[in-house]
Amino acid sequence: MRTGSEPATARSPLRMRLWLSLWGMLWALFGLVAFSLTGRPGWAAACAVVLLLAIVDLCVITYRMRQGPHYQPSRDVPPYEPDHGDGRPRRPGTGPDSGWRNGGPAGPSSGRP
């Protein structure tokens, strides 16, 4: 949730995660091959698990990067009022205490069925 206190030059950490995930994938692949050749199946399995996690992370990162700029708000998007956590609506007329069900135009106080 945006609060308006973010720096104006903040950048997405997705590119950094992409490179770190690629680095981890290369090391896990190297470890998998090295431990398989030296006869250490336990360590090879651990490297295979890390390799699988790095590949899944790469898939998530590329999916989020392809979402484009709508994934992160720009300077034109005004900050949102933070959620107070006590059920108060953000703006007058929104939230659970307003609308048709809770005393709106067709609510119990209007006299209509």
Side-chain angles (χ1 to χ4, degrees):
M1 174 185 303
R2 286 193 74 218
T3 62
S5 61
E6 298 90 5
T9 58
R11 298 183 58 151
S12 169
L14 289 176
R15 262 191 223 283
M16 181 181 64
R17 272 184 60 193
L18 176 77
W19 289 109
L20 288 174
S21 188
L22 283 171
W23 182 254
M25 188 178 76
L26 290 175
W27 274 105
L29 184 63
F30 173 75
L32 176 65
V33 170
F35 286 125
S36 295
L37 293 176
T38 58
R40 305 254 185 185
W43 285 104
C47 288
V49 169
V50 171
L51 180 64
L52 181 66
L53 289 173
I55 291 172
V56 168
D57 192 36
L58 277 173
C59 293
V60 169
I61 292 168
T62 54
Y63 172 75
R64 289 189 177 172
M65 288 178 88
R66 288 176 188 240
Q67 281 183 336
H70 77 277
Y71 180 69
Q72 296 178 0
S74 65
R75 291 182 182 181
D76 299 337
V77 178
Y80 303 117
E81 185 177 342
D83 185 18
H84 300 291
D86 56 358
R88 290 188 293 164
R90 289 190 204 155
R91 292 184 207 116
T94 61
D97 296 333
S98 64
W100 295 93
R101 291 179 291 164
N102 298 318
S109 62
S110 67
R112 286 186 268 158

